[in-house]
Structures are given as structure tokens and as C-alpha cells.
Amino acid sequence: MNRTLSPCSWTRLESCLDQPLGTGSIHEVIKYVPSPLPAKHYDPDTTEPISCGLQTLEELLSWKRSEANPFNVAAVPLAPREPPLASCPLRTLVSHDMMGGYLDDRFVQGTIAEAPYSFYHWQYIDIFNYFAHKLVTIPPAVWTNAAHKHGVVVLGTFITEWTDGAAMCEAFLKDEESYRAVADKLVQISHCYGFDGWLINIENALSAVAVKNTPLFLRYMTDQMHERVSGSLVLWYDSVVEDGQLLWQNELNQSNRIFFDACDGFFTNYNWTEQSLEWMTDYSGVQGRQADIYIGVDVFARGKVVGGMFETNKALEMIRKHNFSTAIFAPGWVYETQDKSEFRMNQDKFWALLSDYLYIHRPVSPLPFISSFCQGFGKAFHYRGQAERGWFNLTAQEIQPLYYHTELEDRGWLRSRGCPEDAWNGGCSLLLDGLIPATHTAPVCAKVFSLNVPLASKTLVILIYKPSAGITVSLELKTTDASLCTHINARDVNREFLTIHPLLIPAYPLQRCCGGLEPISLELCGCALREVGFSIQRDGEPQDTSFSCRVGEIMLLDVDSLQVPPERVQGMCIYDVVWLRGAGTSPQSTSPCLHLNATLQWDYPTKLVRHFRVYWRRLRGPDPRIPPGQLVLVGRAYSHLFRVTELAVAEPPGLLELVVEPVIRKGFPVPESHWGRRSLSYTEDLT
């Protein structure tokens, strides 16, 4: 049994230790009783795991690690980045206030969704805050996983509002023991669920005692977060002033500086003016900490604000002019108010307008570096080109490329965007399209990734792509000496330009003119990859040439690591079994079906896998003449846990098998002998 699990999971998994290992079957006597699983962590109708926040002070103070939701623990640690956040002079925070929160994203294992909201411009931002109007908003693990892959810090929200909020504040800020108890619980929650800190938003007036204790609460909590969670942050929202009044200042000044001095940063209200920014630039309380002041921008443009909506760039221009960080509030405006069928187009338009005032950070990633450009949602989920149904799961999001639209001379243009119509793995491919004007004789260069990936002495490069006719595409890898990569302005040196040779891959439905790069091994010593791009050259005579190139996947692998044998799935167990009777899955069915709901847990190094494929098959049913069934896909898991829900099985007595296949990131299949397997027999309760 893996003892490196989060403390949240240990108690819930103790039953696994009692299950026999190997091929032994566990046995279940079917009983139709209400689900014993907590409704706040599992949908009461389906037992599907969900994420949620805490509504009351009593809920917070009674929170226990042993009762936490194991499915909402982030599976991805915070990746290092370049430059480190502490060295970034102009930071960008996004506060996700989306229709009350906990929508499609509350389904930890993903969900079927026709038109979900997703965020995928991670390289432009430094901090992500999941915001909702609950006392304690715990970020759904899918957001933390996606952000952490890109080196982006994730904050939950602690908010009090109105009369109820004032009563809570009076209760927990009455003395040192009370405010330390609340801070300790918030620190424990962050540590348990794997996110990186908190936005503290007190939007109600405070008594003299409560406001006196507020900076002490902030300082204690900030110190505890720094001690327990590496790279953590505690930010304060501009609301209450030092005499306890709820009086938004729209700037940092002497009335609210006492709170800023007690934590890591200050998020201003949205009704600031350029005079506010000018004044703060010279204010003594700002000196040495200008990067810690996040000027709030409400994308909905509520109240008297600068910019907003598709003119949010006007606010960013002014903020950067005065060298402040920014907090972009509710960029989901592009989803809530615009045509959802045009979501990708509007999302890309919004961030393109801001791009001149945002600063790209490079995720630092060891080999293997792999991306299929999946944005965590799509019309279908593709696996090696084969499509499944529409879906949404941000944990499936892979390292994102740069998205942009660039004008060339003589009406030429180049665009980079996600394409849900074709994909190799996940929900979309990367579509590079544009127009090469007749006068343009040099190749068009499309920058795709900005990275810091130390390369092995022998690095294997594999590419899946599909170009249009009439162009030649080359892969450009920009590298530098690895020893220089600690410097933000390291000198980049082009080491390799690889020409892609067409290779038909019939199994890949980016078909018809499908291209691919035969694996190429590069001999590189002491190099780090800094940029990945494509050089697109017109074939034939000069003329205006429209082009497209869909890129399905890029992989850079350490050649030596390819000799390492695959790991085996171990310690697989089944627990939290719930039996339900429901309508049959066939439209012609007249008798209710028996449904199995159960949690699977296993041991496998998650850093090696893209995901796990979970299957089931019938081994034996009540009719011995029916042979064992074939493996049927149940779903995909992105950690060592998976909840099987509403699985229609044969009437008792029966024997079935649940199977876990690791899909390793390097792309090679794991032999079936290394998959995890567990059988479950079941009989009717005759008592």
C-alpha cells in the first residue's frame, strides 16, 4: 500500500489494507441501503465525487483531515517556473468568479458538457484565485492540477459578507485563540488539498476588537502558510479600513496599509483612477513592494471603472504604465455574455487584446516534454486518433502553447488556436493557419512554446501533424546552454532546425494528408530547450498562399529512459461499494438494472502517466452458458483513485473484474501483464 498518500486519504483507505492482494476476489452481499458517503463530497443520486466549499464557521472549525474529500486532492504539484514568482516585477492574477462557482468543474472525474468554460492562457498569468460567495471556497482539484502544470499558484477564498459575515467575524476575531483556530484550519485545508494559499475578503464592518485582531490574524496565517506550504501566498482584498468601516479605497493608503503590511499582497477594489495609481507610486507604504499590489480590474465593467469587457486592455495599459501588478476579476465574462458556440474565438480575442501588457513565464519541465495541446474539453475525447464522446475535465489539460493572431506585410497573417475538429490525444489539436503573401519569400515562423526544458545528451523528437498542400513545414527548436537558464535574459542560440518528412500514419484520423516526423535523435550536450516553433515555407512559384497545419502532438524524450522497463500497477483495491437499482440502459429494457458504484485505488507513479484507462468485464453471471465478456472502457483517471458510478452489471450471483491500464506519457503501451486487476463477486442478500 502506498503510504505517500495525502493524509486526507489514509483513513478512508484503511479498508484496502484488509483486502487480500494478488488475484483474490473480494465478495459483496448486495444490500439496497442509502449511500453512506457524505453528500457534500459525493452526488447523492450517482455517488459521483464532487468538490464543494464550506458554508459556516461551524463547518470550518469542525473540519478534519480524516473527513476530507480524497478525490479533491490535487494530483499535480506546483511546477517550477522561470522567472520565479518572487522575481516577477509585474504579476498577473486571475480571479475566477463564474456564476457562483462549482459548475461543470465540480465533477472531479470530469463530465459530459456541450459547451463548458475552460481557461488555457496559463503562460500569461502568475496566480489563479477560485472565487465564490461561500465562507470557504476550496478550489476544485481540476483547476489546481491545470494551473500547477504551468507553474501557476492557486488560491482559495475566505469571504465574509453582510450581517451573517459580520457575526462570524465577531466570533472568530474576538481573541487570539479564536482567530488562530480559524487560521490553522485554513492552513490545514490548503495543505491537505494541495493548493497554495488564500484571498481574504472581509466585506462587512468590524468592531473595534475585531479590526484590531485582523492584522494579527493575517500575520499569523501568512507565517503558518509559509511554513507549511512552499511558495504559498495570502492576499488581502481592499474592503475594511483600519477603524473597522467597510469603505473600499480603490488604492493602498494609510487607511488600509495595516492589512497589507501583515500579508503577502493587496488586491484593490475596481473603481480606481489614474490619479490613484500616480499617488501610490510615490506612497511610502508601497516602496519595495510594488509587485505585491494587484490593481483590480472588473471585466464586467460594473461601476465607474477604466476599461472592462473587450476594452479591458485600456485598464491594463494604465496599470502597467505605473508598474503595478494586476488582478483580473471575472474574465469568464467572455463565456457568460457572449455566444457559447464561439467561446474559443472570444476567449482568444480577449487575451490577445491584453497580451501586450502580460508577461510570459516559462514552465520548467524535465524530460519527457509532451503535449497534445489538449485544453481539457472538446466535442470528443481522442486517444491515438480514436474519438469518444464530448467531455470536460481540466485535469486532462496539457502544457498549453501560445495563442495569437499576427499580421504580416501585404495582407498576410498567421494564427495559432485550438482546433476541436481534429485531435490525436485529448480534445483538440493546435491549428496554425494563415496567408503567405506572394511578396513574402522567407519562411513564416510560428512560435508555439516558451519553455525551460533541460535536454538529455540524446533526445528523441517525435511529432504528429497534418499540413495542407503546397507548404513545407520545419520544426524549430531554440536552445541555450543549460548553465545560463537561471538568468531571465539568457542568450538563446539556435542549435537545430529539423525538416519534417511526410510519413503516413493510417491509424491517425488527422487523415488524408497526414504527416508525421520520423523519430529523430539529437546529440545535444548541456542544452536547455527555450522555444519550440514551426517554420512554414511555400512550395512553388510566388503567389498568395493560404495554409494550415494541424499539430496533434509533440514529444521530446530522453533516449536512455526508453530502455527502462514499465512499472506494474500494484495494491489495487475496491471499497465504498454502493448498490443501486435503476432503469435499464437499453430503451427496450423493462426491468430495473442492477448498478455497481465503487471506488478503486491503486499504486503507480502518476508522474509517468498521461492518465489511466479504467475497464470492466463480466467474468461469470447467473447463466454459466454465457462466456466472459470483453473489456469495456468505464472512464479515465488522472490520479490513483477512480469512482465507478452507475455501472450496469448482470443479476446476482455474479463475478466481474475491474482493470486499470496506465497510459504512459512516452506513448508506448504498457503490457497487459502490468495492468492492475481486481475481481469482485456478489450475491443477493437472502436475510
Side-chain angles (χ1 to χ4, degrees):
M1 189 57 54
N2 182 359
R3 306 315 296 171
T4 62
L5 295 173
S6 162
C8 299
S9 307
W10 291 347
T11 302
R12 296 294 298 153
L13 302 184
E14 284 178 355
S15 59
C16 293
L17 300 173
D18 299 325
Q19 295 183 11
L21 299 178
T23 58
S25 173
I26 67 168
H27 182 72
E28 274 282 320
V29 176
I30 299 171
K31 295 184 178 180
Y32 303 106
V33 296
S35 169
L37 301 173
K40 62 184 178 182
H41 297 327
Y42 299 87
D43 184 282
D45 295 325
T46 66
T47 79
E48 187 173 2
I50 56 177
S51 55
C52 66
L54 305 177
Q55 298 277 24
T56 67
L57 195 58
E58 291 72 23
E59 264 191 284
L60 173 60
L61 292 173
S62 63
W63 183 90
K64 298 176 182 176
R65 285 177 178 269
S66 60
E67 297 174 2
N69 182 356
F71 284 93
N72 202 42
V73 176
V76 181
L78 179 62
R81 47 163 282 178
E82 183 192 88
L85 182 62
S87 304
C88 205
L90 297 172
R91 303 169 193 158
T92 302
L93 178 152
V94 160
S95 189
H96 176 69
D97 178 35
M98 169 67 77
M99 302 164 65
Y102 299 110
L103 303 171
D104 291 328
D105 54 11
R106 75 183 184 278
F107 296 104
V108 180
Q109 296 184 163
T111 188
I112 298 170
E114 290 297 321
Y117 175 82
S118 177
F119 180 80
Y120 46 84
H121 291 83
W122 293 106
Q123 284 157 310
Y124 283 141
I125 78 167
D126 305 289
I127 303 165
F128 177 82
N129 164 233
Y130 195 83
F131 187 94
H133 290 270
K134 301 182 183 297
L135 176 67
V136 178
T137 300
I138 299 169
V142 295
W143 282 101
T144 305
N145 291 332
H148 278 184
K149 289 176 188 178
H150 295 85
V152 172
V153 167
V154 177
L155 307 182
T157 304
F158 178 78
I159 183 172
T160 63
E161 302 176 281
W162 314 111
T163 304
D164 288 346
M168 290 182 198
C169 287
E170 294 310 308
F172 88 85
L173 291 169
K174 63 184 179 183
D175 55 37
E176 181 177 3
E177 180 182 1
S178 299
Y179 71 66
R180 285 195 172 207
V182 165
D184 287 342
K185 290 296 184 182
L186 294 174
V187 172
Q188 290 167 21
I189 288 170
S190 176
H191 183 264
C192 174
Y193 286 119
F195 60 97
D196 311 295
W198 297 94
L199 172 67
I200 307 299
N201 186 0
I202 306 296
E203 293 211 60
N204 48 258
L206 298 175
S207 68
V209 171
V211 77
K212 177 183 176 183
N213 283 327
T214 299
L216 302 177
F217 161 68
L218 287 174
R219 172 49 58 202
Y220 175 76
M221 182 174 168
T222 302
D223 290 344
Q224 292 299 305
M225 283 297 305
H226 291 177
E227 183 177 328
R228 307 295 175 87
V229 179
S230 177
S232 61
L233 294 173
V234 176
L235 305 185
W236 172 261
Y237 178 66
D238 166 25
S239 49
V240 173
V241 292
E242 63 179 349
D243 66 1
Q245 292 186 77
L246 179 61
L247 198 60
W248 298 272
Q249 299 294 289
N250 304 297
E251 65 182 22
L252 178 72
N253 58 34
Q254 203 60 34
S255 295
N256 52 32
R257 175 182 172 179
I258 190 171
F259 308 111
F260 173 57
D261 289 344
C263 64
D264 294 308
F266 186 86
F267 181 150
T268 78
N269 192 46
Y270 313 103
N271 302 114
W272 47 268
T273 63
E274 185 166 17
Q275 288 71 31
S276 304
L277 304 183
E278 290 172 349
W279 182 86
M280 278 193 291
T281 302
D282 297 325
Y283 175 49
S284 61
V286 169
Q287 305 312 310
R289 293 189 63 191
Q290 198 153 343
D292 297 334
I293 300 173
Y294 301 84
I295 307 300
V297 178
D298 180 10
V299 177
F300 277 82
R302 290 163 285 204
K304 188 176 181 181
V305 300
V306 175
M309 297 182 279
F310 282 125
E311 293 187 340
T312 299
N313 56 307
K314 293 181 178 179
L316 267 289
E317 179 181 16
M318 197 175 292
I319 291 166
R320 298 310 197 195
K321 173 184 170 184
H322 295 282
N323 296 313
F324 286 105
S325 295
T326 188
I328 301 171
F329 187 75
W333 172 86
V334 299
Y335 178 84
E336 292 190 53
T337 66
Q338 307 297 302
D339 184 348
K340 291 179 175 54
S341 68
E342 301 291 342
F343 166 63
R344 276 190 175 93
M345 182 187 74
N346 288 319
Q347 173 102 317
D348 293 346
K349 174 184 175 181
F350 177 83
W351 289 96
L353 289 167
L354 302 186
S355 61
D356 286 345
Y357 312 106
L358 303 173
Y359 304 95
I360 294 169
H361 70 265
R362 302 171 189 259
V364 178
S365 172
L367 289 177
F369 174 78
I370 300 164
S371 182
S372 64
F373 312 100
C374 177
Q375 295 173 336
F377 70 109
K379 297 178 180 178
F381 185 93
H382 298 258
Y383 176 58
R384 296 185 177 179
Q386 304 303 309
E388 299 167 14
R389 60 189 179 181
W391 62 288
F392 170 75
N393 188 341
L394 279 171
T395 299
Q397 192 177 95
E398 302 209 346
I399 296 292
Q400 290 297 290
L402 301 170
Y403 298 103
Y404 52 85
H405 187 290
T406 301
E407 300 294 330
L408 307 175
E409 68 272 12
D410 294 331
R411 298 178 295 105
W413 57 276
L414 168 67
R415 178 172 55 180
S416 163
R417 60 192 174 98
C419 174
E421 308 302 330
D422 251 341
W424 176 243
N425 280 319
C428 69
S429 56
L430 174 67
L431 177 59
L432 303 172
D433 61 353
L435 174 70
I436 305 173
T439 56
H440 200 100
T441 56
V444 172
C445 295
K447 185 176 176 181
V448 174
F449 287 112
S450 182
L451 303 160
N452 181 357
V453 180
L455 299 176
S457 57
K458 290 185 178 180
T459 300
L460 188 69
V461 181
I462 302 172
L463 189 73
I464 304 292
Y465 79 111
K466 183 174 78 172
S468 59
I471 60 170
T472 298
V473 180
S474 301
L475 178 65
E476 179 181 334
L477 303 181
K478 182 176 284 191
T479 65
T480 192
D481 189 301
S483 65
L484 300 178
C485 286
T486 55
H487 302 291
I488 295 174
N489 297 314
R491 181 173 58 92
D492 288 340
V493 181
N494 288 331
R495 295 280 185 90
E496 294 290 338
F497 291 88
L498 307 178
T499 301
I500 300 169
H501 302 287
L503 173 67
L504 289 177
I505 308 176
Y508 182 24
L510 291 187
Q511 310 168 354
R512 299 186 178 87
C513 55
C514 176
L517 175 66
E518 298 193 40
I520 293 179
S521 181
L522 306 178
E523 301 276 347
L524 298 170
C525 293
C527 288
L529 180 64
R530 304 287 284 182
E531 290 181 9
V532 176
F534 290 90
S535 177
I536 301 168
Q537 178 78 53
R538 176 181 47 236
D539 298 335
E541 297 300 316
Q543 58 181 320
D544 286 356
T545 304
S546 297
F547 70 89
S548 69
C549 180
R550 285 184 174 85
V551 187
E553 186 166 82
I554 185 168
M555 306 175 72
L556 290 98
L557 310 175
D558 180 350
V559 171
D560 292 339
S561 74
L562 303 183
Q563 309 304 316
V564 178
E567 300 262 358
R568 292 177 180 270
V569 175
Q570 299 186 24
M572 186 164 159
C573 63
I574 303 171
Y575 63 100
D576 281 348
V577 175
V578 176
W579 298 96
L580 298 172
R581 283 281 178 185
T585 55
S586 166
Q588 293 77 32
S589 174
T590 56
S591 61
C593 261
L594 176 63
H595 286 157
L596 169 68
N597 302 268
T599 294
L600 307 184
Q601 184 264 334
W602 59 89
D603 292 343
Y604 199 87
T606 51
K607 66 180 180 180
L608 300 180
V609 299
R610 175 168 261 145
H611 58 263
F612 300 92
R613 290 168 67 85
V614 180
Y615 307 88
W616 87 284
R617 65 172 176 165
R618 185 190 68 255
L619 295 179
R620 186 180 68 246
D623 187 342
R625 295 170 297 179
I626 300 177
Q630 299 295 312
L631 287 179
V632 177
L633 182 68
V634 177
R636 294 173 298 277
Y638 293 85
S639 70
H640 57 262
L641 288 173
F642 184 79
R643 181 76 183 164
V644 175
T645 59
E646 299 186 295
L647 178 63
V649 299
E651 292 299 311
L655 178 66
L656 59 84
E657 184 178 45
L658 293 162
V659 179
V660 173
E661 174 197 6
V663 178
I664 62 171
R665 298 181 67 221
K666 296 173 186 176
F668 307 113
V670 174
E672 285 197 38
S673 60
H674 287 51
W675 297 7
R677 297 176 182 274
R678 194 72 169 171
S679 57
L680 181 148
S681 62
Y682 53 97
T683 55
E684 195 75 68
D685 182 10
L686 301 177
T687 60

